[in-house]
Amino acid sequence: MKILVSACLLGVCCRYDGKSKPSDSIIALAKDHQLIPVCPEQLGGLATPRPPAERQGDEIRRQDGGDVTKEYQKGAYEAARLYDLFDCDCAILKSRSPSCGSGVIYDGSFTGSFREGDGVTAQLLKEKGIPVFSDEEEEKYLAYLKK
């Protein structure tokens, strides 16, 4: 299968803090599957590193109050375009991210608290009927990949 994967989970230093969050279990999927790395924030034109941002309703705001909603939306559409271009089967995205979070994201208060919801990219992919998994849902995505 072809899997769209948050690039930071593959060791690419593209997170807001300029670091990565490599996942050995996701990297191991490359033995049997084609992994397509994507960083919606970079695709949307944001620099690395960049100020932290969180979803506040339909907007994405930096901690200093700056509005980066358009950049996150552009990145989401570009990620969806790559999904289609590479004819992917599903997506595995970084948990809690305002872009990639699936099911749970930071609550917008910049206090480390969470709420139910999706990041901009995860939401768009789900709206297109694409199976989206968080990196923390290993059992779910492994079961899906065995189909």
Side-chain angles (χ1 to χ4, degrees):
M1 288 190 172
K2 295 178 185 173
I3 309 166
L4 191 74
V5 178
S6 292
C8 62
L9 297 173
L10 300 176
V12 177
C13 295
C14 58
R15 287 172 39 91
Y16 76 94
D17 58 6
K19 298 179 182 176
S20 67
K21 288 281 187 179
S23 167
D24 292 338
S25 59
I26 293 173
I27 292 169
L29 295 174
K31 292 176 187 172
D32 300 310
H33 305 281
Q34 185 177 356
L35 307 182
I36 311 299
V38 64
C39 178
E41 290 94 335
Q42 287 184 337
L43 290 172
L46 296 173
T48 301
R50 56 192 166 273
E54 294 187 7
R55 189 162 191 173
Q56 298 174 346
D58 289 333
E59 296 180 340
I60 307 297
R61 295 277 180 178
R62 294 188 316 238
Q63 195 167 13
D64 66 8
D67 186 350
V68 288
T69 305
K70 288 181 182 175
E71 291 86 348
Y72 275 73
Q73 290 171 337
K74 178 182 178 191
Y77 284 105
E78 293 299 322
R81 197 170 75 76
L82 288 174
Y83 183 95
D84 292 338
L85 179 67
F86 286 98
D87 195 26
C88 293
D89 299 288
C90 67
I92 302 175
L93 304 177
K94 180 68 185 98
S95 60
R96 296 183 292 278
S97 159
S99 222
C100 296
S102 178
V104 177
I105 57 174
Y106 287 101
D107 72 357
S109 67
F110 296 94
T111 61
S113 299
F114 308 112
R115 68 171 176 88
E116 288 185 14
D118 293 321
V120 178
T121 298
Q123 179 180 338
L124 178 63
L125 295 178
K126 287 179 179 182
E127 287 171 356
K128 292 173 65 74
I130 294 167
V132 175
F133 302 95
S134 162
D135 61 306
E136 296 178 345
E137 297 179 304
E138 186 173 356
E139 286 185 28
K140 287 183 180 179
Y141 67 71
L142 288 177
Y144 181 84
L145 296 174
K146 288 182 181 178
K147 289 183 176 183

